[in-house]
Amino acid sequence: MTDGGNARSRSFLDQHRPAVGEEPGRARRGVRPYLITGGRTVGHDRSIEIESQVVQSGLALDDAASPESRALIQICSKSVSVAEAAALLSLPLGVTRVLVADLVASGVLDHHRGDGAVDDVDVIRRLMARVRAL
Amino acid sequence: MFAHSDAAAGGTPALAQRVVPVKMVVAGGFGVGKTTFVSTLSEVEPLTTEASMTSVAAGVDNRGDVGTKTTTTVAMDFGRLTVDETLVCYLFGTPGQDRFGFMWDDLANGALGGIVLVDTRRFDDCFPAVDYFEHRNLPFAVALNAFDGQVAHEPAQVRAALNLSDDTPVVVCDARQTSSAKTVMLALLEVVLARAMAKRGG
Ligand SMILES: Nc1nc2c(ncn2[C@@H]2O[C@H](COP(=O)(O)OP(=O)(O)O)[C@@H](O)[C@H]2O)c(=O)[nH]1
Ligand SMILES: [Mg+2]
């Protein structure tokens, strides 16, 4: 972090005017919005990221499972992200996360994150090669 | 209650090959070209999902009760770039308005890096995103979109005005063009790579 960031924020905060239809922010001045509000989703499970991959484990779903859970399992016949599953099911991200967490807990879905990829030189090089090929 | 299928035989998708997900965050003010940028690089039409967030305005009222909670719903669009069978990159566009800043943590957590799109005629719109990435110590690139065919401020001016660190790339970009969006991505990935190599070396 640089000191310049603070100066810039002040300038932003001084100049910012809520747009039409926007709620006037409380206690906006001097505090960055993302520090004021600790964003929380209902049932939010920190271990399940939006890009986390979910895929069928091979365990069959309980007969009593909800239609949404069945639809989710169908989509996870191949590895997809939580965000893709939400988009394909037209379900809000928060709801999808809860469904995923339940199905992971009961063993029907396998789930894994991209932990460590940020520092993985091989991963970054492969991605660069893919972008160059676009 | 779960019937066990042939998972132990190794024939299930999960056991076949794990796909490693990585992501990039595309940020900037409203109408600056985030969705355009994502769709230019994505191999599929960008997908949209509704993110419904309960934000807790902690400490503002000094009450800490449920009365300080508000729920906001925003549409978030994202694209996908499949690298190979075991690596996929997602590009998430932030909902632009700074009042949605509270949900950026969700996007930025574990991200490789960020791209801040800037319309130089509405320069201040990029401040929250720049502040945010610096605060998170997340590598980012600044892309100046030339809306009138040219940028109102040159990269060097922008660098000075934003007081950017030396390793933060500033490039002129047309988010509608693949070659241009590619240049931005690669400039960012060079920084990401340099950081990863420095970590590995030290
Ligand atoms: N001239 C120009 N127009 C752009 C560029 N990027 C986006 N646009 C246009 O600006 C408008 C808003 O872009 P959009 O991607 O929806 O902005 P968002 O609100 O940040 O997602 C669209 O009509 C785009 O075609 C650019 O780099 N140059
Ligand atoms: Mg958009």
Side-chain angles (χ1 to χ4, degrees):
Chain A
M1 258 198 102
T2 64
D3 289 331
N6 295 330
R8 186 166 57 240
S9 286
R10 275 195 300 278
S11 131
F12 163 74
L13 290 163
D14 288 343
Q15 292 168 25
H16 182 74
R17 297 283 177 279
V20 177
E22 185 178 334
E23 284 177 38
R26 281 179 294 182
R28 183 185 292 280
R29 188 178 191 85
V31 186
R32 298 175 188 188
Y34 42 86
L35 294 182
I36 297 172
T37 56
R40 297 287 180 271
T41 311
V42 178
H44 188 122
D45 182 343
R46 260 277 155 237
S47 74
I48 297 177
E49 303 286 353
I50 52 180
E51 75 279 12
S52 286
Q53 297 290 298
V54 282
V55 65
Q56 293 174 4
S57 69
L59 278 188
L61 197 56
D62 192 305
D63 286 342
S66 69
E68 289 81 11
S69 296
R70 293 196 180 282
L72 177 58
I73 292 288
Q74 289 286 310
I75 280 171
C76 297
S77 62
K78 63 177 174 37
S79 188
V80 296
S81 62
V82 174
E84 282 168 308
L88 295 170
L89 290 170
S90 299
L91 283 176
L93 201 50
V95 173
T96 308
R97 252 176 167 150
V98 173
L99 290 177
V100 165
D102 286 351
L103 293 172
V104 168
S106 59
V108 178
L109 283 183
D110 278 340
H111 152 258
H112 74 276
R113 300 151 48 107
D115 288 345
V118 176
D119 299 321
D120 189 328
V121 169
D122 174 61
V123 162
I124 299 162
R125 288 207 169 112
R126 278 153 68 202
L127 176 55
M128 289 176 90
R130 175 70 179 93
V131 172
R132 278 197 197 96
L134 279 171
Chain B
M1 222 53 65
F2 299 102
H4 209 287
S5 71
D6 61 351
T12 64
L15 293 174
Q17 253 172 349
R18 283 198 149 190
V19 179
V20 173
V22 295
K23 67 178 166 185
M24 298 283 199
V25 182
V26 181
F30 182 76
V32 79
K34 298 179 297 294
T35 301
T36 306
F37 188 90
V38 166
S39 92
T40 297
L41 290 177
S42 178
E43 70 201 16
V44 294
E45 277 293 305
L47 294 166
T48 302
T49 180
E50 192 182 276
S52 171
M53 302 274 160
T54 302
S55 75
V56 182
V60 172
D61 292 343
N62 265 339
R63 285 172 198 260
D65 59 19
V66 290
T68 61
K69 283 186 185 175
T70 51
T71 299
T72 318
T73 300
V74 291
M76 181 177 76
D77 42 36
F78 61 98
R80 177 188 167 110
L81 197 54
T82 306
V83 175
D84 53 42
E85 286 179 338
T86 60
L87 182 60
V88 60
C89 179
Y90 297 97
L91 293 152
F92 285 97
T94 61
Q97 297 86 334
D98 66 281
R99 70 194 164 118
F100 298 137
F102 59 80
M103 72 167 289
W104 289 5
D105 283 348
D106 246 14
L107 299 174
N109 221 11
L112 286 183
I115 287 147
V116 180
L117 292 174
V118 181
D119 177 348
T120 51
R121 300 166 306 181
R122 297 179 293 132
F123 192 54
D124 292 8
D125 289 1
C126 76
F127 292 170
V130 171
D131 284 348
Y132 182 80
F133 291 138
E134 284 182 350
H135 175 76
R136 293 281 308 238
N137 194 27
L138 196 69
F140 65 98
V142 174
L144 312 179
N145 277 5
F147 274 95
D148 297 331
Q150 58 180 36
V151 287
H153 305 284
E154 292 303 314
Q157 288 177 291
V158 171
R159 173 181 298 286
L162 291 175
N163 194 15
L164 297 173
S165 69
D166 289 343
D167 74 343
T168 299
V170 183
V171 283
V172 177
C173 155
D174 186 326
R176 299 164 301 181
Q177 292 191 351
T178 308
S179 60
S180 192
K182 256 172 80 169
T183 305
V184 176
M185 272 286 274
L186 287 170
L188 171 59
L189 284 165
E190 289 288 356
V191 181
V192 175
L193 180 64
R195 285 206 190 186
M197 302 226 326
K199 261 193 207 173
R200 191 171 70 169

